[in-house]
Amino acid sequence: MKDLLAVVKSNSLIAENIYMLTLTLPEDAGKIRGGQFVNLATGDNSHLLRRPLGVMKAEGRDIAVCYQLKGEGTQRLAKAEAGEKLKILLPLGNGFNLDGKKNIAVIGGGVGVFPLIATIREHCAEKNFYSYIGFRNKSAVCLLDELEKSEKLTVVTDDGSFGNKGNAVGAFLNDKDKPDFDLIIACGPPVMLKTLKKELAERNIDAPCLVSLEERMGCGIGACLVCVCKKTDGENARVCKDGPVFNINEVEL
């Protein structure tokens, strides 16, 4: 883990209210696994807390993250221009462990697709990904060129304005031609992950499933306890330090 001062390389709108920010690090930060995240300063001294953002792409010393405009912090981040310097802490959390797995289902919704893209990029040369991705509407669809590194890609939207009408979990369950998966990986809004967990149990789908949780975070290193989640064994877990990737049966959704 390193705390560095990175230089903004580009910061562009890629879909409705979605930006991709590419930063160049001053030094190598080591191996970054798909599913890990960074804690990024907004460049505004009035917003002291950094923003946790999943890594979408890591190439050499260039790190790309994507974010959705929500509050004042991301509004400020959207104004960052090439050449500006931002503090970045990375890499944080664990990632998706695909060791020993070959055929992998990828289920993503909304901004949850970004850490999944990093995982596909990392392993697409030696593993087969079958991706089921849901967006709100056509205006939210982005990064299809990255998702098309999958063996098979199914894109749906809530309103049917792009692809079929539906959601990512439904697209996965309704695919009659899907192979026997060694692993399922997923990231998306809590309701999506809750539905996925319920359907896997009810349909007796026994492939292991790893999910990346989205929680509000303060420090990003497990000290502030803002991002605590409940585990099914009654214990608590810190999403930033113990996650953000968990076995779906390990956490309450």
Side-chain angles (χ1 to χ4, degrees):
M1 179 176 64
K2 295 185 177 182
D3 197 359
L4 303 173
L5 193 61
V7 177
V8 174
K9 186 174 183 178
S10 62
N11 189 21
S12 57
L13 187 70
I14 61 171
E16 186 176 30
N17 292 328
I18 301 292
Y19 280 76
M20 181 167 70
L21 171 65
T22 302
L23 301 140
T24 300
L25 306 178
E27 61 185 77
D28 184 14
K31 173 71 173 177
I32 299 176
R33 169 176 281 178
Q36 289 187 297
F37 68 98
V38 306
N39 237 17
L40 182 66
T42 64
D44 181 352
N45 291 332
S46 65
H47 297 91
L48 298 180
L49 288 180
R50 303 187 191 189
R51 268 46 183 182
L53 299 170
V55 174
M56 190 280 289
K57 179 166 60 176
E59 290 183 336
R61 291 193 290 121
D62 284 351
I63 302 294
V65 297
C66 297
Y67 59 95
Q68 182 178 28
L69 294 185
K70 284 189 174 181
E72 293 181 1
T74 49
Q75 292 285 349
R76 168 60 185 87
L77 201 56
K79 297 177 182 178
E81 298 180 348
E84 186 173 340
K85 293 183 178 180
L86 299 174
K87 292 181 179 179
I88 185 170
L89 184 67
L90 80 166
L92 298 174
N94 59 14
F96 289 103
N97 185 350
L98 310 187
D99 291 351
K101 311 301 182 184
K102 183 66 174 179
N103 294 321
I104 300 161
V106 178
I107 304 173
V111 295
V113 305
F114 305 131
L116 299 173
I117 287 174
T119 309
I120 294 170
R121 288 179 55 87
E122 183 182 358
H123 296 285
C124 62
E126 73 273 5
K127 299 182 186 296
N128 300 321
F129 293 97
Y130 298 79
S131 298
Y132 307 89
I133 306 298
F135 293 102
R136 184 178 66 259
N137 54 39
K138 185 177 181 179
S139 298
V141 175
C142 58
L143 299 175
L144 292 185
D145 57 330
E146 296 288 355
L147 291 164
E148 285 168 353
K149 292 181 172 68
S150 306
E151 187 79 10
K152 179 180 179 180
L153 172 62
T154 303
V155 178
V156 297
T157 50
D158 293 345
D159 62 1
S161 56
F162 187 96
N164 291 326
K165 185 176 181 179
N167 58 64
V169 174
F172 163 72
L173 295 172
N174 295 328
D175 183 2
K176 305 302 182 184
D177 298 321
K178 60 181 179 287
D180 291 330
F181 292 116
D182 304 314
L183 179 68
I184 301 166
I185 63 174
C187 185
V191 65
M192 186 198 96
L193 300 182
K194 185 174 183 177
T195 299
L196 177 61
K197 183 175 183 178
K198 173 176 174 289
E199 293 289 348
L200 293 178
E202 290 183 354
R203 296 172 186 246
N204 295 315
I205 298 174
D206 57 5
C209 178
L210 301 177
V211 295
S212 179
L213 302 187
E214 298 174 351
E215 290 288 346
R216 289 185 177 274
M217 297 180 188
C219 67
I221 57 174
C224 70
L225 305 181
V226 169
C227 63
V228 166
C229 70
K230 286 286 187 182
K231 298 178 67 178
T232 51
D233 63 4
E235 298 293 323
N236 292 327
R238 299 161 296 179
V239 172
C240 69
K241 184 74 172 179
D242 304 314
V245 177
F246 296 91
N247 185 292
I248 199 169
N249 294 319
E250 184 184 357
V251 287
E252 293 184 3
L253 297 171

